[in-house]
């Protein structure tokens, strides 16, 4: 396997994950009530904890994508 393929894979994984994060954030901002009603059918979570859970998970997701995919991609781009 060529290293350029690995670099491209890291780039695409990063782009896809940030796309997922963007869709999640936009859904949370613009369709928050609908999203809360949908999930409150399954789980009984107060609205303030619902907000806290989602912002925390978005932050963790963003950090993981940065550490696991974006940082190695940038490192490969700098070195190669």
């Amino acid at each position: 396997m060529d290293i350029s393929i690995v670099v491209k894979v890291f780039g695409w994984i990063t782009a896809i994950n940030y796309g997922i994060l963007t869709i999640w954030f936009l859904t949370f901002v613009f369709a928050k009530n609908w999203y809360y009603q949908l999930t409150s059918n399954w789980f009984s979570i107060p609205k303030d904890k619902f907000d806290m859970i989602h912002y925390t998970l978005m932050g963790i997701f963003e950090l993981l994508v940065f550490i696991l995919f974006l940082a190695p991609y940038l490192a490969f781009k700098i070195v190669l």
Side-chain angles (χ1 to χ4, degrees), residues 20-37:
I20 291 169
L21 183 64
T22 302
I23 291 169
W24 183 7
F25 177 75
L26 292 175
T27 302
F28 189 71
V29 169
F30 294 113
K32 186 179 190 179
N33 291 328
W34 171 79
Y35 196 41
Y36 177 72
Q37 287 176 344

Side-chain angles (χ1 to χ4, degrees), residues 28-74:
F28 189 71
V29 169
F30 294 113
K32 186 179 190 179
N33 291 328
W34 171 79
Y35 196 41
Y36 177 72
Q37 287 176 344
L38 178 69
T39 56
S40 66
N41 290 334
W42 301 317
F43 309 105
S44 59
I45 300 173
K47 198 160 189 161
D48 59 333
K49 290 195 187 243
F50 178 78
D51 295 347
M52 182 189 66
I53 289 168
H54 278 277
Y55 281 124
T56 303
L57 289 175
M58 280 188 243
I60 291 169
F61 185 76
E62 184 176 8
L63 283 173
L64 287 174
V65 169
F66 182 82
I67 291 168
L68 296 175
F69 303 114
L70 183 60
Y73 173 74
L74 293 175

